[in-house]
Amino acid sequence: MSNSSSINEFLLALADTRELQLLHFSLFLGIYLAALLGNGLIITAVACDHRLHTPMYFFLLNLSLLDLGTISVIVPKSMSNSLWDTRTISYAGCAAQLFFFVFFLLAEYSLLAVMAYERFVAICKPLLYGTLMGSRACVKMAAAAWASGFLNAVLHTGNTFSLPLCRGNTVDQFFCEVPEILKLASSDSYLRMVWALLIGVCLGFGCFVFIVLSYVQIFTAVLRIPSGQGWHKAFSRCLPHLAVVSLFVSTLIFACLNPPSLCSPALDLVVAVLYSVVPPAMNPLIYSMRNKELKDALR
């Protein structure tokens, strides 16, 4: 039996054969470069083009920063392990990886709720848009999203690594995530695990309900617009955000509610890739696909 004070490193999941390790490295390298390029272009365009200095693009810039943070925390280490055929990550490195992953992930979820509110104001209360979405208000809302991610990361990381880890140091995942570390904790710590996870679930559910209610009112308002041109403008503003929310929430819910009967190390790895690696690479493509202003700024 070992406890957290005697663990100096953790062992992450790694493919069995050298060919699969190199395939893993190549796939992650391609996804990572796509995420860096897509999000980097959006950040550069929004920062340098004064026409994009609006609340919508300000929040999009923050989303790209969070996407870059999320994927950069986990993918380079996993690529390094595959390339050099090693599974180890230090205790401090695992704690830091878990902290920053939770920080960026939950801050992004909160920011998606803020972006839903921005679209609600733009479509349902256009006359108040300049007042409700002033520069100071936008900065405060973005700061609140980042702060919520930070506070939850402190809570989950502190709670997770304060538990006695008595079941070895093998993490059945390619990065350090809360559920996998909790599997190493003793069963006596069950109630502490539940309370910490419950707080995160409440925050996530609250953001989800807020987003759903915002879009219910948005679509109700859109259906009252008589002209087809007004419909097109409203939907072109909302559909990219709705697609990003759907991708983010659906993969995260599947990861959390994955039934035990279907659990397997291979499926867990695929699900983790879907909610942690795919969205940061796909989000720039979703937002730029039908966004004429963004395309013009990138030319």
Side-chain angles (χ1 to χ4, degrees):
M1 300 290 284
S2 63
N3 55 41
S4 55
S5 62
S6 63
I7 294 177
N8 296 318
E9 62 183 19
F10 292 92
L11 301 178
L12 301 175
L14 188 70
D16 297 329
T17 64
R18 189 60 183 157
E19 290 78 10
L20 287 176
Q21 291 173 9
L22 294 177
L23 178 62
H24 171 272
F25 172 81
S26 301
L27 289 175
F28 269 34
L29 177 61
I31 294 173
Y32 188 53
L33 291 177
L36 287 178
L37 177 62
N39 288 291
L41 286 174
I42 287 178
I43 292 170
T44 303
V46 175
C48 297
D49 194 328
H50 69 278
R51 295 172 298 176
L52 302 183
H53 292 176
T54 64
M56 182 176 75
Y57 291 106
F58 170 73
F59 293 132
L60 182 57
L61 182 146
N62 277 268
L63 182 69
S64 293
L65 289 173
L66 290 170
D67 279 335
L68 282 180
T70 302
I71 199 169
S72 296
V73 164
I74 58 175
V75 167
K77 177 59 179 176
S78 183
M79 289 167 53
S80 173
N81 283 355
S82 296
L83 186 62
W84 303 112
D85 190 18
T86 179
R87 298 178 58 194
T88 61
I89 183 172
S90 67
Y91 184 92
C94 184
Q97 189 180 68
L98 187 147
F99 172 83
F100 283 107
F101 179 71
V102 174
F103 170 38
F104 289 124
L105 193 73
L106 294 183
E108 180 170 340
Y109 195 24
S110 300
L111 186 67
L112 289 174
V114 171
M115 294 173 76
Y117 174 73
E118 184 272 334
R119 279 148 181 78
F120 162 75
V121 175
I123 294 172
C124 299
K125 299 181 182 295
L127 297 179
L128 297 176
Y129 188 83
T131 303
L132 295 177
M133 302 304 300
S135 57
R136 183 173 298 181
C138 290
V139 170
K140 287 181 179 179
M141 285 187 280
W146 286 79
S148 68
F150 177 80
L151 293 176
N152 272 276
V154 170
L155 170 68
H156 285 291
T157 306
N159 178 74
T160 301
F161 285 93
S162 66
L163 299 173
L165 306 180
C166 305
R167 300 179 180 178
N169 66 337
T170 301
V171 179
D172 293 327
Q173 194 54 269
F174 66 92
F175 66 100
C176 292
E177 63 172 357
V178 173
E180 293 299 326
I181 301 297
L182 291 181
K183 289 179 182 178
L184 306 179
S186 66
S187 56
D188 296 337
S189 308
Y190 179 75
L191 286 178
R192 288 179 61 188
M193 300 180 204
V194 170
W195 278 111
L197 291 175
L198 189 61
I199 294 174
V201 168
C202 288
L203 172 67
F205 184 71
C207 289
F208 179 73
V209 170
F210 183 84
I211 292 171
V212 169
L213 292 177
S214 296
Y215 272 101
V216 167
Q217 296 186 68
I218 286 172
F219 289 133
T220 301
V222 168
L223 293 176
R224 294 173 184 162
I225 299 175
S227 66
Q229 185 177 2
W231 279 33
H232 180 269
K233 184 177 180 180
F235 280 121
S236 64
R237 187 183 184 97
C238 295
L239 287 181
H241 177 258
L242 198 56
V244 169
V245 171
S246 300
L247 175 66
F248 185 87
V249 173
S250 60
T251 54
L252 202 57
I253 288 177
F254 187 77
C256 295
L257 301 180
N258 189 15
S261 59
L262 297 178
C263 282
S264 69
L267 182 59
D268 288 343
L269 287 171
V270 171
V271 171
V273 169
L274 286 177
Y275 85 83
S276 63
V277 177
V278 173
M282 289 295 296
N283 288 352
L285 180 63
I286 292 172
Y287 270 105
S288 61
M289 190 177 297
R290 298 183 63 183
N291 191 312
K292 186 177 183 301
E293 291 178 330
L294 201 53
K295 288 180 180 178
D296 291 341
L298 291 173
R299 286 173 183 170

